[in-house]
Amino acid sequence: MAKSSQNPSAGKAGRRRPSGLSAARLLAVQALYQISLNKKPPSEVIAEFLEHRIEEDLEGLKHASVNRPLLSELVEGVCAEVDDLDDMLAAVLDEDWTIERLEILLLSLLRAAAFELSARFEVPARVVISEYVDLANAFFDGRETAFVNGMLDRLAHVLRAEEFGEAAALPDIT
């Protein structure tokens, strides 16, 4: 069962303090979740997070060290490319799943990760996968973490095949 159904900032106790980059990813997923629910413009949500939410406690920690440029880049990038990102994710979903079937928080997390894999080539694919699997573990219990790992691994092997020493396994989905 997902921990996130009521509160996307809920997480496991005892997690280490996130780095500025990890905190940016966590807040970006939360911002994308909020945008999906409230249909607010990305710039308004980013401003709210930078002015107010960034100082809130999450798991008993302050996120004042969050990487603000990365937070903005992720939220704005995902919102600008949401249709392409959904197409990328749909291409690596199992046949019996659709994007519409995914819970909003899970989809927000996958979109952010897909954006990083497709646009932030300076970050190794394995790092992106690890970061978002950690986030999934913070937000969810059980199967969702394995689902995120599998989805991102398949997507990374398509988008970043050269990092894995292989040719693209699927047609170009970018």
Side-chain angles (χ1 to χ4, degrees):
M1 168 170 275
K3 296 181 222 181
S4 64
S5 58
Q6 298 295 321
N7 181 4
S9 64
K12 291 185 177 179
R15 289 191 63 214
R16 62 175 168 73
R17 182 182 189 105
S19 71
L21 298 174
S22 296
R25 289 178 176 107
L26 179 128
L27 291 175
V29 170
Q30 291 176 327
L32 292 166
Y33 176 83
Q34 183 173 326
I35 290 167
S36 293
L37 290 180
N38 301 329
K39 306 298 183 207
K40 288 183 177 181
S43 59
E44 185 179 320
V45 175
I46 292 168
E48 175 188 324
F49 272 66
L50 291 176
E51 291 171 20
H52 304 291
R53 298 279 313 270
I54 211 164
E55 296 299 327
E56 289 180 0
D57 281 343
L58 181 65
E59 300 177 22
L61 303 172
K62 298 266 187 203
H63 291 290
S65 66
V66 69
N67 184 305
R68 293 165 187 243
L70 178 58
L71 170 62
S72 295
E73 179 185 356
L74 291 174
V75 174
E76 290 168 354
V78 169
C79 290
E81 298 180 25
V82 70
D83 292 335
D84 291 338
L85 297 171
D86 285 355
D87 289 345
M88 288 179 212
L89 293 168
V92 296
L93 270 171
D94 290 334
E95 289 179 15
D96 55 338
W97 278 85
T98 63
I99 291 293
E100 296 77 24
R101 230 178 121 184
L102 298 175
E103 190 267 331
I104 295 170
L105 181 59
L106 182 61
L107 182 56
S108 297
L109 185 147
L110 289 169
R111 284 172 172 163
F115 175 79
E116 282 210 59
L117 286 171
S118 66
R120 299 192 73 241
F121 292 100
E122 69 277 13
V123 181
R126 286 183 172 94
V127 171
V128 173
I129 294 167
S130 176
E131 286 282 323
Y132 286 95
V133 167
D134 285 350
L135 282 178
N137 194 40
F139 287 129
F140 301 101
D141 286 326
R143 300 178 309 187
E144 293 92 344
T145 302
F147 180 80
V148 167
N149 188 45
M151 284 281 298
L152 297 182
D153 185 64
R154 286 192 298 269
L155 187 59
H157 277 79
V158 172
L159 296 175
R160 308 260 194 106
E162 68 283 352
E163 285 186 46
F164 299 94
E166 57 195 39
L170 298 174
D172 183 21
I173 58 174
T174 58

